Amino acid sequence: QVQLVESGGGSVQAGGSLRLSCAASGYGYRGNSMGWFRQAPAKEREGVAAITSDGTTTYADSVKGRFTISQDNAQNTLYLQMNSLKPEDTAMYYCAARFRGNWYGPLALRTYNYWGQGTQVTVSS
């Protein structure tokens, strides 16, 4: 059973930074794609950033130039460095992993098979 555990969320003022981590366990190889998603109150969950096994990254337009996704394969850990945070970045952030199934794109929810429980990010103005 795959387990994904996010950490690093918190409260920060606009313009600040946070680094989210996602520790993956329970499998002998990492997913062929990993991603970060977020869901704000009363809004649908949306893709933020994704990285494939060959290191190709994809970002939502709203975070390009501010967020960076990276991975430490040796530690089975996924990161999301978030800089220049804005109040509209406030959301629950989720880590996701894909092992199998149809490919709907790197930022599509349906692409991913496993999800973490989320970590809250709150940005105040």
Side-chain angles (χ1 to χ4, degrees):
Q1 182 70 20
V2 176
Q3 290 186 321
L4 303 173
V5 179
E6 302 94 336
S7 62
S11 297
V12 64
Q13 290 190 328
S17 298
L18 284 173
R19 188 194 195 201
L20 305 184
S21 299
C22 172
S25 63
Y27 60 97
Y29 60 94
R30 66 178 300 281
N32 50 54
S33 289
M34 302 285 290
W36 286 100
F37 292 75
R38 67 185 181 187
Q39 187 167 18
K43 292 189 176 181
E44 293 186 353
R45 192 172 298 190
E46 63 176 359
V48 174
I51 187 166
T52 60
S53 56
D54 66 357
T56 301
T57 57
T58 305
Y59 296 93
D61 288 343
S62 58
V63 306
K64 280 181 182 177
R66 301 189 298 121
F67 290 12
T68 302
I69 188 171
S70 62
Q71 59 193 8
D72 182 339
N73 291 334
Q75 298 294 326
N76 281 343
T77 303
L78 182 73
Y79 301 100
L80 184 68
Q81 177 67 44
M82 306 186 295
N83 299 327
S84 302
L85 283 161
K86 304 176 180 179
E88 51 263 44
D89 295 319
T90 295
M92 185 72 79
Y93 282 72
Y94 298 90
C95 170
R98 175 182 184 272
F99 289 87
R100 61 190 179 279
N102 295 329
W103 177 257
Y104 297 96
L107 298 181
L109 274 68
R110 293 185 296 169
T111 291
Y112 296 86
N113 312 119
Y114 295 96
W115 295 82
Q117 294 300 306
T119 185
Q120 178 68 38
V121 171
T122 302
V123 184
S124 58
S125 57

